[in-house]
Amino acid sequence: MDSIRIKNLRSLKDTGEVELKPLTLLVGKNSSGKSTFLRTFPLFKQTIETKTNEPILWYSSRYVDFGSFQESINKITDKEGPEKKLISFDFKFNIPSAFVQVGTIELMSYRYFLYRRKMDKIGSDVRDITVKINIETNEKSLTRFTISIEDYLFEMTLKEKEKLSQVELKINGRSVLETVGLRAQYSKDYSQFLPHIFVEKDTSSDYFRDELFKIFYSLAYTSTKRSTITKFIDDIMFGNTDEFITGLKKQDTTANVLLENIKALDSNSETMKEIIINYLGMNINPIISICNNYLEQYFSSINYIAPIRASAERYYRIQGLSVDDIDPQGENIPMIFNNMTYIEKENYNKWLAENFDFQISDSPAGGHSSISIKYSNGEEVNLADTGFGYSQILPITLVLWQISKQEEKERLSFSGFYKADYNFFNLVIEQPELHLHPAIQAKLIDAFIKIIMLCREKNIDIKIIIETHSETMINRIGYIIAKNKDNFNEDLVKVIIFENDEVFDTKLTVSTYSDKGYLKKWPLGFFEPEEL
């Protein structure tokens, strides 16, 4: 995810587009909107992982509790007209162009054949394309969503009318279907975040494909076989407008008259515009599926660490459960450690010793287990006797160690025709510095940066987002940049300052580091108390 924008969520009237760096710090006074921004990530995680009858799951006992839509909407907006009672989110991200090329294959019976043919044509010519998604929601349903991909724009306004889920559909600013007396509908299935579009009882791909066939048929010689035109459509390669038109005019086809007539069209001709509109309409559901796939994988990859983490206990009950995901409060850390193999425990402890100068051990007995901290001098102390610091940092260290083991994936890998496999790691933490000595806070920043640089070597898209009040952590980042430690530089970090001078209207300011490690645009006296 390259950036996110939030409107009308609690005090965040409009954050503007917030660029996310591999390391993003959120700072500001209490109740300034930092937590609301950060908790948006686990909010979408719990929404995507749970089948609901509403577009957003505002409450989860495991992750975050926003209450309800009415409790979450900005209070200024809530006083305006009902048509403005909307919460909206914008997401911007990049995907390899090959994912779109493969995703826009629609014919069921020829999918594998078409997949191989398109992959052969793509070859090594793969670039990143930018996708922007905007969603607007009221209390009960999505009201509108848009998808911008390349230089194309899809706009879907969703309405409930006479018990039908209808859509006002625009492609590149042009209303479609209404001129021929048809209505688009959508599937109200919140197991997929963005709904698929249908044309009355037909799928949108069938309707637009038929329209595209009619255009090409009218441009072809009268005896041209239908199969030749079908192949012509199947061979179209997705790209921006210029690439699309160029590719269209270079098609390898036996339909010479069709090709000559297409070569005579320019980008401003009405026929070419109709070709583009219908081609995009034919592929609207594959593009929606690609976006759903990205959002699902991105938010499912979120590792959320809550600000109040489980306190240490002297003994833990051993349960016969297979546990991989770390609980946001770290309550299942003892169970995860108990389930590790001997080699995994050895590797984890080696990593802990290298980065934090301690190790942990467990002592199972009689259905229970105790966790001990082992210091560098060999002394072991039960976790309950060490104070809060170690129990607070353990969930964070375990997540970091898990990502250090993640292997690099091929850039182009697929688990299905609409499902690309992305290599994400996302960690969002509220107040990682709680109960930690400044020296340990500095070590934690060092560990974050080591993991970021390791992920970059493995081509893993990493984002670590931290809400913090720690001056130590902010200064440590500057020190690492100044010393060029681990080749970490100022382009990999951003500090976002939340200021809430007006009630329910937080303003965000971006501060960056210089190559000497100094913060730019930093508010004077930010960490100083107000004068008495």
Side-chain angles (χ1 to χ4, degrees), residues 135-316:
I135 63 168
E136 294 180 354
T137 179
N138 60 22
E139 185 172 7
K140 294 296 183 182
S141 62
L142 289 180
T143 59
R144 185 174 184 269
F145 71 97
T146 67
I147 299 173
S148 170
I149 180 169
E150 294 287 15
D151 51 352
Y152 308 125
L153 178 64
F154 300 87
E155 300 172 84
M156 281 69 64
T157 303
L158 313 182
K159 296 183 177 181
E160 292 290 325
K161 188 175 181 180
E162 298 175 355
K163 297 183 180 180
L164 291 176
S165 302
Q166 296 186 342
V167 183
E168 288 184 7
L169 175 61
K170 289 184 178 181
I171 300 178
N172 289 348
R174 180 185 296 192
S175 294
V176 297
L177 301 175
E178 293 181 1
T179 56
V180 293
L182 293 175
R183 280 283 184 182
Q185 299 170 7
Y186 67 96
S187 59
K188 202 170 183 179
D189 178 8
Y190 291 128
S191 62
Q192 291 290 315
F193 193 72
L194 302 177
H196 283 177
I197 308 300
F198 301 90
V199 180
E200 296 195 345
K201 294 183 180 179
D202 225 353
T203 65
S204 61
S205 60
D206 289 339
Y207 170 80
F208 288 108
R209 185 184 185 87
D210 289 345
E211 292 299 305
L212 190 59
F213 186 95
K214 291 175 186 176
I215 295 172
F216 289 148
Y217 190 78
S218 69
L219 296 174
Y221 190 66
T222 54
S223 62
T224 303
K225 294 180 179 179
R226 297 181 66 88
S227 59
T228 302
I229 296 177
T230 297
K231 182 180 182 299
F232 190 90
I233 294 173
D234 293 337
D235 282 348
I236 296 175
M237 299 291 285
F238 190 90
N240 60 41
T241 302
D242 290 339
E243 291 171 338
F244 178 87
I245 294 174
T246 300
L248 202 63
K249 294 180 178 182
K250 291 182 177 180
Q251 283 271 39
D252 182 14
T253 180
T254 58
N256 296 324
V257 172
L258 170 60
L259 194 59
E260 288 304 315
N261 284 331
I262 287 176
K263 288 179 179 179
L265 301 175
D266 60 36
S267 59
N268 294 318
S269 72
E270 193 60 32
T271 301
M272 182 58 76
K273 289 179 181 178
E274 287 295 324
I275 290 172
I276 293 172
I277 291 292
N278 284 290
Y279 179 76
L280 294 173
M282 184 179 82
N283 289 300
I284 187 171
N285 283 332
I287 288 172
I288 289 173
S289 292
I290 290 166
C291 293
N292 278 332
N293 175 46
Y294 185 96
L295 293 175
E296 178 184 347
Q297 290 199 43
Y298 180 84
F299 287 111
S300 295
S301 74
I302 295 292
N303 295 271
Y304 169 59
I305 306 294
I308 301 176
R309 298 184 272 283
S311 57
E313 298 181 18
R314 193 166 299 280
Y315 299 101
Y316 296 91

Side-chain angles (χ1 to χ4, degrees), residues 313-339:
E313 298 181 18
R314 193 166 299 280
Y315 299 101
Y316 296 91
R317 177 74 178 269
I318 298 176
Q319 301 179 51
L321 299 175
S322 177
V323 180
D324 295 316
D325 292 337
I326 297 169
D327 187 85
Q329 287 77 34
E331 293 177 346
N332 62 352
I333 293 295
M335 200 184 310
I336 291 176
F337 191 73
N338 181 72
N339 288 341

Side-chain angles (χ1 to χ4, degrees), residues 311-316 370-373 381-388 390-391:
S311 57
E313 298 181 18
R314 193 166 299 280
Y315 299 101
Y316 296 91
S370 61
I371 300 292
S372 297
I373 297 297
V381 179
N382 189 287
L383 185 62
D385 297 324
T386 62
F388 281 102
Y390 287 105
S391 63

Side-chain angles (χ1 to χ4, degrees), residues 97-98 101-102 113-126 231-238 246-248 250-253:
S97 56
Q101 296 290 1
V102 174
F113 171 71
L114 294 173
Y115 162 77
R116 289 308 328 162
R117 192 164 73 195
K118 284 208 169 187
M119 285 304 294
D120 289 342
K121 288 183 71 175
I122 292 166
S124 60
D125 184 20
V126 178
K231 182 180 182 299
F232 190 90
I233 294 173
D234 293 337
D235 282 348
I236 296 175
M237 299 291 285
F238 190 90
T246 300
L248 202 63
K250 291 182 177 180
Q251 283 271 39
D252 182 14
T253 180

Side-chain angles (χ1 to χ4, degrees), residues 17-39:
E17 185 177 339
V18 180
E19 184 184 14
L20 302 175
K21 292 288 189 178
L23 182 57
T24 302
L25 281 74
L26 315 178
V27 301
K29 296 180 179 179
N30 292 332
S31 299
S32 61
K34 306 185 305 298
S35 295
T36 296
F37 185 92
L38 182 139
R39 290 177 186 177

